[in-house]
């Protein structure tokens, strides 16, 4: 890469790396914007140009981007398929000697494939913790995140309902449709396991996907694989800390909620029982996201100078392209 002075980058409109200095909205894999996307963003900025500044800083233009609403649709339906497959993995692994190992391996494969398949469409979050965390660090615009989270919850519920319709009632109730449960663990123990496990997920994501230098080293293929490997470790280790029916760390709030909501629809299941301790699988990821966000902003591992070099390089290439076009004309 050509060496550039950091001062060449215009930081007046990008005081914090991750908001405007990146070519993605919370995506695990980065793709260059095409001309159609740039025109769409230009129109959206024109629409919100008279809006209050704080709304524009929160990404109000996202509401007028077709790509954002397509992303919501992908998050919803992708989450539905993800949750259906999650439940199928849990059910299929139960007959083996040590289910957590197989469950972890297959979930790691599932997550890696989903990131590779859907990163270009929505950023491949499929997890409200990832969305919330990237909102706090500026990688996902606030308004996009607000739209993604309900879409993920709806998708998780649809996926769990599809699994409920796929199996006999006794079989579905036996596995609680893959819902998250603390089992014999007390609330404090389950919450601690959830917080630490969620931090591991965020470390993996921000240490590779959202780190400019690391992402450049590992590329768009290895980053999803590393995220999947971390999920394997988390499921295997956390599930081994307690006796069944403790399911280990959830690390995916919509998945836990959607499966519990569908499980509550069985005639013999009380709603209070189905939703017992669901707060753990939302409060835990929330605490982890806030802790990680504070650490990220105080001691950022995102290489500010490198971001500015990349931005300056893009600007220089843009100017050269414009000059070449004018000289041709």
């Amino acid at each position: 890469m050509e060496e550039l002075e950091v001062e060449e980058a215009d930081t007046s409109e990008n005081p914090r790396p991750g908001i405007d200095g990146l070519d993605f909205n919370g995506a695990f894999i980065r793709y260059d914007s095409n001309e159609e996307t740039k025109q769409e963003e230009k129109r959206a900025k024109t629409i919100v140009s008279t809006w209050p500044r704080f709304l524009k800083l929160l990404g109000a233009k996202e509401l007028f981007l077709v790509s954002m609403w397509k992303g919501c649709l992908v998050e919803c339906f992708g989450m539905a398929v993800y949750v259906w497959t999650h439940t199928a993995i849990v059910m299929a692994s139960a007959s083996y000697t040590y289910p957590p190992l197989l469950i972890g391996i297959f979930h790691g494969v599932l997550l890696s494939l989903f990131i590779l398949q859907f990163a270009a469409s929505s950023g491949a979050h499929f997890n409200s913790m990832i969305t919330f965390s990237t909102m706090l660090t500026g990688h996902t615009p606030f308004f996009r995140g607000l739209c993604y989270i309900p879409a993920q919850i709806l998708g998780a519920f649809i996926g769990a309902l599809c699994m409920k319709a796929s199996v006999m009632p006794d079989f579905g109730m036996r596995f609680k449709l893959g819902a998250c449960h603390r089992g014999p663990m007390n609330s404090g123990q389950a919450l601690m396991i959830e917080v630490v496990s969620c931090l591991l997920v965020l470390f993996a994501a921000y240490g590779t996907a959202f780190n400019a230098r690391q992402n450049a080293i590992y590329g768009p293929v290895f980053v999803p694989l590393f995220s999947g490997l971390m999920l394997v470790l988390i499921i295997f280790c956390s599930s081994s800390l307690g006796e069944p029916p403790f399911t280990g760390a959830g690390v995916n709030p919509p998945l836990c909620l959607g499966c519990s909501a569908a499980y509550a629809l069985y005639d013999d299941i009380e709603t209070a029982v189905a939703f017992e301790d669901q707060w753990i699988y939302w409060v835990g990821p929330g605490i982890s996201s806030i802790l990680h966000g504070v650490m990220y902003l105080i001691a950022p591992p995102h290489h500010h100078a490198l971001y500015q070099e990349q931005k300056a390089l893009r600007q220089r290439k843009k100017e050269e392209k414009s000059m070449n076009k004018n000289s041709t004309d």
Side-chain angles (χ1 to χ4, degrees):
M1 179 184 293
E2 182 179 355
E3 185 176 355
L4 299 173
E5 295 294 330
V6 174
E7 287 75 18
E8 290 181 9
D10 179 13
T11 60
S12 61
E13 295 182 359
N14 185 29
R16 185 175 51 166
I19 296 180
D20 293 319
L22 301 179
D23 293 331
F24 67 111
N25 289 314
F28 276 87
I29 303 174
R30 301 167 194 180
Y31 293 86
D32 293 332
S33 299
N34 56 38
E35 192 62 33
E36 182 180 353
T37 303
K38 292 177 181 179
Q39 291 298 323
E40 184 185 13
E41 291 184 355
K42 185 176 180 180
R43 289 192 296 269
K45 287 181 179 180
T46 302
I47 294 174
V48 301
S49 59
T50 58
W51 289 26
R53 178 174 173 78
F54 79 95
L55 290 178
K56 290 188 283 187
L57 291 175
L58 293 176
K61 69 179 178 65
E62 297 285 320
L63 297 174
F64 302 95
L65 296 178
V66 175
S67 58
M68 194 279 288
W69 295 107
K70 288 181 179 178
C72 288
L73 191 64
V74 170
E75 289 289 312
C76 180
F77 282 93
M79 193 69 190
V81 178
Y82 185 92
V83 169
W84 189 96
T85 312
H86 148 77
T87 309
I89 290 172
V90 171
M91 294 176 175
S93 304
S95 60
Y96 289 86
T97 304
Y98 195 67
L101 179 58
L102 281 180
I103 292 174
I105 291 173
F106 287 120
H107 272 82
V109 173
L110 177 66
L111 178 63
S112 298
L113 291 176
F114 264 61
I115 294 175
L116 285 168
Q117 292 166 347
F118 296 106
S121 303
S122 68
H125 291 195
F126 303 120
N127 188 335
S128 295
M129 177 184 66
I130 295 296
T131 302
F132 180 57
S133 177
T134 53
M135 289 167 65
L136 294 179
T137 57
H139 289 83
T140 297
F142 184 79
F143 281 97
R144 178 180 286 257
L146 286 184
C147 295
Y148 269 21
I149 292 174
Q152 292 160 352
I153 295 172
L154 176 61
F157 181 55
I158 292 173
L161 283 179
C162 290
M163 179 53 74
K164 180 176 181 291
S166 301
V167 298
M168 298 297 293
D170 291 344
F171 194 69
M173 286 189 287
R174 175 186 168 190
F175 294 98
K176 301 180 180 179
L177 290 177
C180 306
H181 289 278
R182 66 178 174 87
M185 311 287 282
N186 63 46
S187 298
Q189 292 170 330
L191 181 62
M192 178 59 68
I193 293 172
E194 190 70 18
V195 170
V196 175
S197 298
C198 290
L199 281 172
L200 288 173
V201 172
L202 295 175
F203 290 161
Y206 280 83
T208 54
F210 302 136
N211 184 305
R213 195 177 299 278
Q214 295 288 76
N215 189 277
I217 294 173
Y218 296 116
V221 175
F222 284 102
V223 166
L225 294 180
F226 292 153
S227 298
L229 285 174
M230 181 59 79
L231 185 61
V232 172
L233 293 175
I234 290 169
I235 293 176
F236 174 69
C237 294
S238 65
S239 299
S240 304
L241 297 178
E243 296 294 329
F246 176 58
T247 57
V251 297
N252 193 323
L255 181 149
C256 294
L257 181 62
C259 291
S260 294
Y263 177 58
L265 297 179
Y266 282 117
D267 294 336
D268 298 333
I269 303 300
E270 295 182 6
T271 303
V273 174
F275 287 100
E276 184 180 12
D277 298 317
Q278 272 301 304
W279 65 272
I280 293 173
Y281 303 105
W282 285 87
V283 173
I287 293 174
S288 299
S289 296
I290 293 171
L291 289 175
H292 176 269
V294 170
M295 182 179 68
Y296 183 89
L297 296 175
I298 292 177
H302 46 48
H303 305 289
H304 188 134
L306 179 61
Y307 278 127
Q308 300 309 316
E309 289 175 6
Q310 292 176 338
K311 184 177 179 181
L313 182 61
R314 289 196 300 271
Q315 182 64 29
R316 176 171 294 183
K317 288 182 177 179
K318 183 178 179 181
E319 292 174 355
E320 291 176 352
K321 184 177 179 181
S322 178
M323 291 175 60
N324 292 336
K325 183 178 179 181
N326 292 335
S327 62
T328 303
D329 295 339

